[in-house]
Amino acid sequence: MATVVAAKPFQPGTTRMVGFRRRSWFFRVLLGETAGFVVPGLAWFAVWKAVLPPPGAAAIVALSGAAEGAALGIAQWLTLREWHAGFSRTWILASAAGASVAWACGMTPSTAHDLGSPTWLSIALGVSLAPVLLLSLPGAQWLVLRRYVPKAWKWVIWSTAGWLLALPPTFIGPAILPSDASSLQIAVTWAISGMAMAAIVAAFTGYAMSRILQSTVANLDAGTLRAPG
């Protein structure tokens, strides 16, 4: 399968594209997200063991989330580059920034609780920041994807839904650990939770991206494609 599209500005007919490979996307994202998830996991474990002040600990974990986003972004970009040879590396930077924001949102409720905030405030923070947590990564990636496909906003919806399905294992795993869990138990639980999350994300977003890109190709073949947005 081959067709043409331009990156920026949008001018069909200048850059060759080949088929999007969902299998490649799945295994690359599975590996990249699993490996990336280890970084903030290790950061969280380190600050917990060091008993750092809550704000500093949260900042370290949130910043380490950029490494997870970068690993995921690289995995996705490698497959998107096969679909479009000129696909921008900015996708990786956007993914890193979005993941860091997501981790910051995720750390805020527990940090507030550790600082002595009432339970209702921690819950309110969690609820109010949940949309930002879910939309930060897909939204950052949308800023790049919109340069290549029309209706790129669909990626935000699909990807957010995928993360919504994928995040529960990362909460359930650590939650069932006993308070006196060993370092090995924590590491194994974190790794299993991260792999489960990565598998869900890889499968769901791979399907979503294939749908979006197939729609782009179909519209190009029909001559009905308009400028991306």
Short mmCIF file of all heavy atoms in Angstrom, two decimals, residues 29-88:
data_model
loop_
_atom_site.label_atom_id
_atom_site.label_comp_id
_atom_site.label_asym_id
_atom_site.label_seq_id
_atom_site.Cartn_x
_atom_site.Cartn_y
_atom_site.Cartn_z
N VAL A 29 5.63 -0.90 21.19
CA VAL A 29 5.01 -0.16 22.29
C VAL A 29 5.02 -1.00 23.57
O VAL A 29 5.25 -0.47 24.67
CB VAL A 29 3.57 0.26 21.92
CG1 VAL A 29 2.84 0.82 23.14
CG2 VAL A 29 3.60 1.30 20.81
N LEU A 30 4.77 -2.29 23.45
CA LEU A 30 4.83 -3.17 24.61
C LEU A 30 6.20 -3.10 25.28
O LEU A 30 6.31 -2.94 26.50
CB LEU A 30 4.52 -4.61 24.21
CG LEU A 30 4.62 -5.67 25.31
CD1 LEU A 30 3.61 -5.40 26.42
CD2 LEU A 30 4.44 -7.07 24.73
N LEU A 31 7.24 -3.19 24.48
CA LEU A 31 8.60 -3.13 25.01
C LEU A 31 8.94 -1.74 25.52
O LEU A 31 9.47 -1.58 26.63
CB LEU A 31 9.59 -3.55 23.92
CG LEU A 31 11.08 -3.51 24.30
CD1 LEU A 31 11.36 -4.45 25.47
CD2 LEU A 31 11.95 -3.87 23.09
N GLY A 32 8.63 -0.71 24.71
CA GLY A 32 8.99 0.65 25.09
C GLY A 32 8.28 1.12 26.34
O GLY A 32 8.91 1.71 27.23
N GLU A 33 6.98 0.88 26.41
CA GLU A 33 6.21 1.34 27.58
C GLU A 33 6.58 0.55 28.82
O GLU A 33 6.67 1.12 29.93
CB GLU A 33 4.71 1.24 27.29
CG GLU A 33 3.82 1.60 28.47
CD GLU A 33 4.04 2.98 29.01
OE1 GLU A 33 4.52 3.87 28.26
OE2 GLU A 33 3.73 3.21 30.20
N THR A 34 6.81 -0.75 28.69
CA THR A 34 7.20 -1.55 29.85
C THR A 34 8.54 -1.08 30.39
O THR A 34 8.71 -0.89 31.61
CB THR A 34 7.29 -3.05 29.48
OG1 THR A 34 6.01 -3.50 29.01
CG2 THR A 34 7.70 -3.87 30.69
N ALA A 35 9.52 -0.88 29.49
CA ALA A 35 10.84 -0.41 29.93
C ALA A 35 10.74 1.01 30.48
O ALA A 35 11.37 1.32 31.50
CB ALA A 35 11.80 -0.45 28.74
N GLY A 36 9.96 1.86 29.83
CA GLY A 36 9.85 3.23 30.29
C GLY A 36 9.19 3.34 31.64
O GLY A 36 9.56 4.19 32.46
N PHE A 37 8.21 2.48 31.90
CA PHE A 37 7.48 2.53 33.17
C PHE A 37 8.38 2.19 34.35
O PHE A 37 8.10 2.58 35.49
CB PHE A 37 6.30 1.56 33.10
CG PHE A 37 5.34 1.67 34.25
CD1 PHE A 37 4.58 2.82 34.42
CD2 PHE A 37 5.17 0.63 35.15
CE1 PHE A 37 3.69 2.93 35.48
CE2 PHE A 37 4.28 0.72 36.20
CZ PHE A 37 3.54 1.88 36.37
N VAL A 38 9.46 1.47 34.09
CA VAL A 38 10.39 1.10 35.15
C VAL A 38 11.06 2.35 35.74
O VAL A 38 11.34 2.40 36.95
CB VAL A 38 11.46 0.13 34.62
CG1 VAL A 38 12.58 -0.08 35.63
CG2 VAL A 38 10.82 -1.21 34.26
N VAL A 39 11.30 3.37 34.92
CA VAL A 39 12.05 4.55 35.38
C VAL A 39 11.32 5.30 36.48
O VAL A 39 11.88 5.50 37.57
CB VAL A 39 12.39 5.47 34.19
CG1 VAL A 39 13.15 6.71 34.68
CG2 VAL A 39 13.22 4.72 33.15
N PRO A 40 10.07 5.76 36.26
CA PRO A 40 9.38 6.41 37.38
C PRO A 40 9.11 5.44 38.53
O PRO A 40 9.02 5.86 39.69
CB PRO A 40 8.08 6.91 36.76
CG PRO A 40 7.89 6.12 35.52
CD PRO A 40 9.27 5.81 35.03
N GLY A 41 9.00 4.15 38.22
CA GLY A 41 8.83 3.16 39.29
C GLY A 41 10.04 3.12 40.20
O GLY A 41 9.92 3.14 41.44
N LEU A 42 11.23 3.10 39.60
CA LEU A 42 12.45 3.11 40.39
C LEU A 42 12.60 4.44 41.14
O LEU A 42 13.07 4.47 42.29
CB LEU A 42 13.66 2.88 39.49
CG LEU A 42 13.81 1.48 38.88
CD1 LEU A 42 14.97 1.43 37.91
CD2 LEU A 42 13.99 0.43 39.99
N ALA A 43 12.20 5.53 40.48
CA ALA A 43 12.28 6.84 41.13
C ALA A 43 11.37 6.89 42.35
O ALA A 43 11.77 7.39 43.41
CB ALA A 43 11.90 7.94 40.13
N TRP A 44 10.15 6.37 42.18
CA TRP A 44 9.22 6.35 43.31
C TRP A 44 9.78 5.51 44.46
O TRP A 44 9.70 5.91 45.63
CB TRP A 44 7.88 5.77 42.85
CG TRP A 44 6.90 5.57 43.97
CD1 TRP A 44 6.08 6.49 44.54
CD2 TRP A 44 6.69 4.33 44.68
NE1 TRP A 44 5.34 5.92 45.55
CE2 TRP A 44 5.69 4.59 45.66
CE3 TRP A 44 7.21 3.04 44.57
CZ2 TRP A 44 5.24 3.61 46.53
CZ3 TRP A 44 6.75 2.06 45.44
CH2 TRP A 44 5.78 2.36 46.40
N PHE A 45 10.33 4.36 44.13
CA PHE A 45 10.89 3.48 45.16
C PHE A 45 12.06 4.16 45.87
O PHE A 45 12.20 4.08 47.10
CB PHE A 45 11.35 2.17 44.53
CG PHE A 45 11.93 1.19 45.51
CD1 PHE A 45 11.11 0.52 46.41
CD2 PHE A 45 13.29 0.93 45.53
CE1 PHE A 45 11.63 -0.39 47.31
CE2 PHE A 45 13.82 0.02 46.43
CZ PHE A 45 12.99 -0.64 47.32
N ALA A 46 12.90 4.87 45.10
CA ALA A 46 14.07 5.53 45.67
C ALA A 46 13.68 6.65 46.63
O ALA A 46 14.24 6.76 47.73
CB ALA A 46 14.96 6.07 44.55
N VAL A 47 12.73 7.48 46.22
CA VAL A 47 12.34 8.60 47.09
C VAL A 47 11.59 8.09 48.32
O VAL A 47 11.64 8.70 49.40
CB VAL A 47 11.49 9.65 46.33
CG1 VAL A 47 12.29 10.23 45.17
CG2 VAL A 47 10.18 9.05 45.81
N TRP A 48 10.88 6.96 48.15
CA TRP A 48 10.17 6.37 49.29
C TRP A 48 11.17 5.84 50.32
O TRP A 48 11.02 6.07 51.51
CB TRP A 48 9.26 5.25 48.80
CG TRP A 48 8.57 4.49 49.88
CD1 TRP A 48 7.69 4.98 50.81
CD2 TRP A 48 8.70 3.09 50.16
NE1 TRP A 48 7.26 3.97 51.65
CE2 TRP A 48 7.86 2.80 51.27
CE3 TRP A 48 9.43 2.05 49.57
CZ2 TRP A 48 7.75 1.53 51.79
CZ3 TRP A 48 9.31 0.77 50.10
CH2 TRP A 48 8.48 0.52 51.20
N LYS A 49 12.20 5.16 49.84
CA LYS A 49 13.22 4.63 50.73
C LYS A 49 14.03 5.76 51.38
O LYS A 49 14.45 5.65 52.54
CB LYS A 49 14.16 3.70 49.96
CG LYS A 49 13.59 2.32 49.68
CD LYS A 49 13.44 1.52 50.96
CE LYS A 49 13.03 0.08 50.71
NZ LYS A 49 12.88 -0.70 51.96
N ALA A 50 14.24 6.84 50.64
CA ALA A 50 15.03 7.96 51.15
C ALA A 50 14.22 8.87 52.06
O ALA A 50 14.79 9.77 52.69
CB ALA A 50 15.61 8.76 50.00
N VAL A 51 12.91 8.65 52.10
CA VAL A 51 12.00 9.46 52.92
C VAL A 51 12.20 10.95 52.62
O VAL A 51 12.41 11.77 53.51
CB VAL A 51 12.20 9.19 54.43
CG1 VAL A 51 11.01 9.73 55.23
CG2 VAL A 51 12.39 7.71 54.71
N LEU A 52 12.14 11.29 51.35
CA LEU A 52 12.28 12.69 50.95
C LEU A 52 11.00 13.46 51.27
O LEU A 52 9.92 12.87 51.37
CB LEU A 52 12.56 12.77 49.44
CG LEU A 52 13.90 12.22 48.95
CD1 LEU A 52 14.01 12.45 47.44
CD2 LEU A 52 15.07 12.87 49.67
N PRO A 53 11.09 14.77 51.43
CA PRO A 53 9.88 15.58 51.63
C PRO A 53 8.93 15.38 50.46
O PRO A 53 9.36 15.26 49.31
CB PRO A 53 10.43 17.01 51.67
CG PRO A 53 11.85 16.86 52.10
CD PRO A 53 12.32 15.57 51.50
N PRO A 54 7.62 15.34 50.72
CA PRO A 54 6.64 15.04 49.66
C PRO A 54 6.77 15.88 48.39
O PRO A 54 6.72 15.32 47.29
CB PRO A 54 5.30 15.27 50.37
CG PRO A 54 5.59 14.97 51.79
CD PRO A 54 6.98 15.47 52.04
N PRO A 55 6.93 17.21 48.49
CA PRO A 55 7.02 17.98 47.23
C PRO A 55 8.22 17.59 46.38
O PRO A 55 8.12 17.45 45.15
CB PRO A 55 7.14 19.43 47.72
CG PRO A 55 6.53 19.43 49.08
CD PRO A 55 6.90 18.10 49.67
N GLY A 56 9.37 17.40 47.02
CA GLY A 56 10.57 17.01 46.28
C GLY A 56 10.44 15.63 45.68
O GLY A 56 10.86 15.38 44.54
N ALA A 57 9.86 14.71 46.45
CA ALA A 57 9.66 13.35 45.95
C ALA A 57 8.74 13.35 44.74
O ALA A 57 9.01 12.67 43.73
CB ALA A 57 9.09 12.47 47.05
N ALA A 58 7.65 14.11 44.82
CA ALA A 58 6.70 14.18 43.70
C ALA A 58 7.36 14.77 42.46
O ALA A 58 7.12 14.32 41.33
CB ALA A 58 5.49 15.01 44.10
N ALA A 59 8.18 15.79 42.66
CA ALA A 59 8.86 16.43 41.53
C ALA A 59 9.81 15.46 40.83
O ALA A 59 9.87 15.40 39.59
CB ALA A 59 9.62 17.67 42.01
N ILE A 60 10.54 14.67 41.61
CA ILE A 60 11.48 13.71 41.03
C ILE A 60 10.73 12.65 40.22
O ILE A 60 11.12 12.31 39.10
CB ILE A 60 12.32 13.06 42.14
CG1 ILE A 60 13.28 14.08 42.74
CG2 ILE A 60 13.10 11.86 41.59
CD1 ILE A 60 14.04 13.58 43.95
N VAL A 61 9.65 12.14 40.79
CA VAL A 61 8.88 11.11 40.09
C VAL A 61 8.25 11.68 38.82
O VAL A 61 8.26 11.03 37.76
CB VAL A 61 7.79 10.53 41.01
CG1 VAL A 61 6.90 9.55 40.23
CG2 VAL A 61 8.42 9.82 42.20
N ALA A 62 7.70 12.90 38.91
CA ALA A 62 7.08 13.52 37.73
C ALA A 62 8.10 13.75 36.62
O ALA A 62 7.82 13.48 35.44
CB ALA A 62 6.42 14.83 38.12
N LEU A 63 9.28 14.21 36.99
CA LEU A 63 10.31 14.44 35.98
C LEU A 63 10.79 13.12 35.37
O LEU A 63 11.09 13.05 34.17
CB LEU A 63 11.50 15.20 36.60
CG LEU A 63 11.23 16.66 36.95
CD1 LEU A 63 12.43 17.25 37.68
CD2 LEU A 63 10.94 17.47 35.69
N SER A 64 10.85 12.09 36.19
CA SER A 64 11.26 10.78 35.66
C SER A 64 10.22 10.22 34.70
O SER A 64 10.53 9.37 33.86
CB SER A 64 11.51 9.80 36.81
OG SER A 64 10.28 9.43 37.43
N GLY A 65 8.98 10.70 34.84
CA GLY A 65 7.94 10.28 33.90
C GLY A 65 8.25 10.66 32.47
O GLY A 65 7.74 10.04 31.52
N ALA A 66 9.09 11.69 32.30
CA ALA A 66 9.49 12.08 30.94
C ALA A 66 10.25 10.96 30.25
O ALA A 66 10.16 10.79 29.02
CB ALA A 66 10.33 13.35 30.99
N ALA A 67 11.00 10.18 31.03
CA ALA A 67 11.73 9.06 30.44
C ALA A 67 10.77 8.00 29.94
O ALA A 67 10.99 7.39 28.87
CB ALA A 67 12.68 8.46 31.48
N GLU A 68 9.70 7.76 30.70
CA GLU A 68 8.69 6.81 30.24
C GLU A 68 8.05 7.30 28.94
O GLU A 68 7.88 6.53 27.98
CB GLU A 68 7.61 6.63 31.30
CG GLU A 68 6.49 5.68 30.85
CD GLU A 68 5.30 5.69 31.79
OE1 GLU A 68 5.32 6.41 32.80
OE2 GLU A 68 4.32 4.97 31.50
N GLY A 69 7.69 8.59 28.91
CA GLY A 69 7.08 9.14 27.71
C GLY A 69 8.01 9.07 26.51
O GLY A 69 7.58 8.80 25.38
N ALA A 70 9.30 9.32 26.75
CA ALA A 70 10.27 9.26 25.65
C ALA A 70 10.41 7.84 25.11
O ALA A 70 10.47 7.63 23.89
CB ALA A 70 11.63 9.78 26.13
N ALA A 71 10.45 6.85 26.02
CA ALA A 71 10.55 5.46 25.58
C ALA A 71 9.32 5.05 24.77
O ALA A 71 9.44 4.39 23.72
CB ALA A 71 10.70 4.54 26.80
N LEU A 72 8.15 5.45 25.25
CA LEU A 72 6.92 5.17 24.50
C LEU A 72 6.93 5.91 23.17
O LEU A 72 6.57 5.33 22.12
CB LEU A 72 5.71 5.61 25.33
CG LEU A 72 4.35 5.55 24.62
CD1 LEU A 72 3.99 4.12 24.26
CD2 LEU A 72 3.27 6.18 25.49
N GLY A 73 7.33 7.17 23.19
CA GLY A 73 7.35 7.97 21.97
C GLY A 73 8.28 7.40 20.92
O GLY A 73 7.96 7.39 19.72
N ILE A 74 9.45 6.93 21.34
CA ILE A 74 10.39 6.33 20.39
C ILE A 74 9.78 5.08 19.77
O ILE A 74 9.88 4.86 18.55
CB ILE A 74 11.72 5.98 21.11
CG1 ILE A 74 12.46 7.27 21.49
CG2 ILE A 74 12.60 5.10 20.22
CD1 ILE A 74 13.67 7.04 22.37
N ALA A 75 9.16 4.24 20.60
CA ALA A 75 8.55 3.01 20.10
C ALA A 75 7.48 3.32 19.06
O ALA A 75 7.41 2.66 18.00
CB ALA A 75 7.96 2.22 21.26
N GLN A 76 6.65 4.30 19.34
CA GLN A 76 5.58 4.67 18.40
C GLN A 76 6.16 5.34 17.15
O GLN A 76 5.72 5.06 16.03
CB GLN A 76 4.59 5.59 19.10
CG GLN A 76 3.83 4.92 20.23
CD GLN A 76 2.98 5.91 21.01
OE1 GLN A 76 3.31 7.09 21.12
NE2 GLN A 76 1.86 5.44 21.55
N TRP A 77 7.13 6.21 17.35
CA TRP A 77 7.72 6.94 16.23
C TRP A 77 8.39 6.00 15.23
O TRP A 77 8.32 6.23 14.01
CB TRP A 77 8.73 7.96 16.76
CG TRP A 77 9.49 8.66 15.68
CD1 TRP A 77 9.05 9.68 14.88
CD2 TRP A 77 10.83 8.38 15.27
NE1 TRP A 77 10.04 10.07 14.00
CE2 TRP A 77 11.14 9.28 14.22
CE3 TRP A 77 11.80 7.47 15.69
CZ2 TRP A 77 12.38 9.28 13.60
CZ3 TRP A 77 13.04 7.47 15.06
CH2 TRP A 77 13.30 8.37 14.02
N LEU A 78 9.02 4.95 15.72
CA LEU A 78 9.68 4.01 14.80
C LEU A 78 8.69 3.40 13.82
O LEU A 78 9.01 3.19 12.65
CB LEU A 78 10.37 2.90 15.61
CG LEU A 78 11.63 3.30 16.36
CD1 LEU A 78 12.09 2.18 17.28
CD2 LEU A 78 12.75 3.69 15.38
N THR A 79 7.48 3.12 14.28
CA THR A 79 6.46 2.57 13.39
C THR A 79 5.84 3.65 12.52
O THR A 79 5.57 3.42 11.34
CB THR A 79 5.36 1.86 14.21
OG1 THR A 79 5.97 0.88 15.06
CG2 THR A 79 4.36 1.16 13.30
N LEU A 80 5.61 4.82 13.08
CA LEU A 80 5.05 5.92 12.30
C LEU A 80 6.03 6.37 11.22
O LEU A 80 5.62 6.79 10.14
CB LEU A 80 4.71 7.09 13.22
CG LEU A 80 3.51 6.86 14.15
CD1 LEU A 80 3.43 7.97 15.19
CD2 LEU A 80 2.22 6.76 13.36
N ARG A 81 7.32 6.26 11.49
CA ARG A 81 8.33 6.61 10.49
C ARG A 81 8.29 5.64 9.31
O ARG A 81 8.59 6.02 8.18
CB ARG A 81 9.72 6.60 11.14
CG ARG A 81 10.83 7.07 10.22
CD ARG A 81 12.18 6.94 10.88
NE ARG A 81 12.49 5.56 11.23
CZ ARG A 81 13.68 5.17 11.69
NH1 ARG A 81 14.65 6.05 11.88
NH2 ARG A 81 13.89 3.90 11.99
N GLU A 82 7.93 4.39 9.58
CA GLU A 82 7.79 3.44 8.48
C GLU A 82 6.57 3.79 7.62
O GLU A 82 6.57 3.57 6.41
CB GLU A 82 7.64 2.01 9.03
CG GLU A 82 8.90 1.51 9.72
CD GLU A 82 8.70 0.15 10.36
OE1 GLU A 82 7.53 -0.30 10.42
OE2 GLU A 82 9.69 -0.46 10.80
N TRP A 83 5.52 4.31 8.26
CA TRP A 83 4.32 4.73 7.53
C TRP A 83 4.60 6.01 6.75
O TRP A 83 4.14 6.18 5.62
CB TRP A 83 3.18 4.96 8.52
CG TRP A 83 1.97 5.59 7.92
CD1 TRP A 83 1.03 4.97 7.14
CD2 TRP A 83 1.56 6.96 8.03
NE1 TRP A 83 0.05 5.87 6.76
CE2 TRP A 83 0.37 7.09 7.30
CE3 TRP A 83 2.09 8.07 8.69
CZ2 TRP A 83 -0.31 8.31 7.21
CZ3 TRP A 83 1.41 9.28 8.60
CH2 TRP A 83 0.23 9.38 7.87
N HIS A 84 5.35 6.92 7.34
CA HIS A 84 5.67 8.20 6.71
C HIS A 84 7.13 8.50 7.01
O HIS A 84 7.49 8.78 8.15
CB HIS A 84 4.77 9.30 7.28
CG HIS A 84 4.86 10.61 6.56
ND1 HIS A 84 6.04 11.27 6.36
CD2 HIS A 84 3.89 11.38 6.00
CE1 HIS A 84 5.81 12.41 5.70
NE2 HIS A 84 4.52 12.49 5.48
N ALA A 85 7.97 8.42 5.99
CA ALA A 85 9.42 8.53 6.19
C ALA A 85 9.83 9.83 6.85
O ALA A 85 10.86 9.89 7.52
CB ALA A 85 10.13 8.38 4.85
N GLY A 86 9.03 10.87 6.69
CA GLY A 86 9.39 12.16 7.26
C GLY A 86 8.72 12.48 8.57
O GLY A 86 8.72 13.64 9.00
N PHE A 87 8.17 11.47 9.23
CA PHE A 87 7.44 11.75 10.46
C PHE A 87 8.38 12.34 11.51
O PHE A 87 9.44 11.82 11.79
CB PHE A 87 6.80 10.47 11.01
CG PHE A 87 5.65 10.75 11.94
CD1 PHE A 87 4.36 10.89 11.44
CD2 PHE A 87 5.86 10.90 13.31
CE1 PHE A 87 3.29 11.16 12.29
CE2 PHE A 87 4.80 11.17 14.15
CZ PHE A 87 3.52 11.30 13.65
N SER A 88 7.96 13.44 12.12
CA SER A 88 8.84 14.25 12.95
C SER A 88 9.22 13.58 14.28
O SER A 88 8.39 12.96 14.95
CB SER A 88 8.16 15.60 13.26
OG SER A 88 8.95 16.36 14.14
#
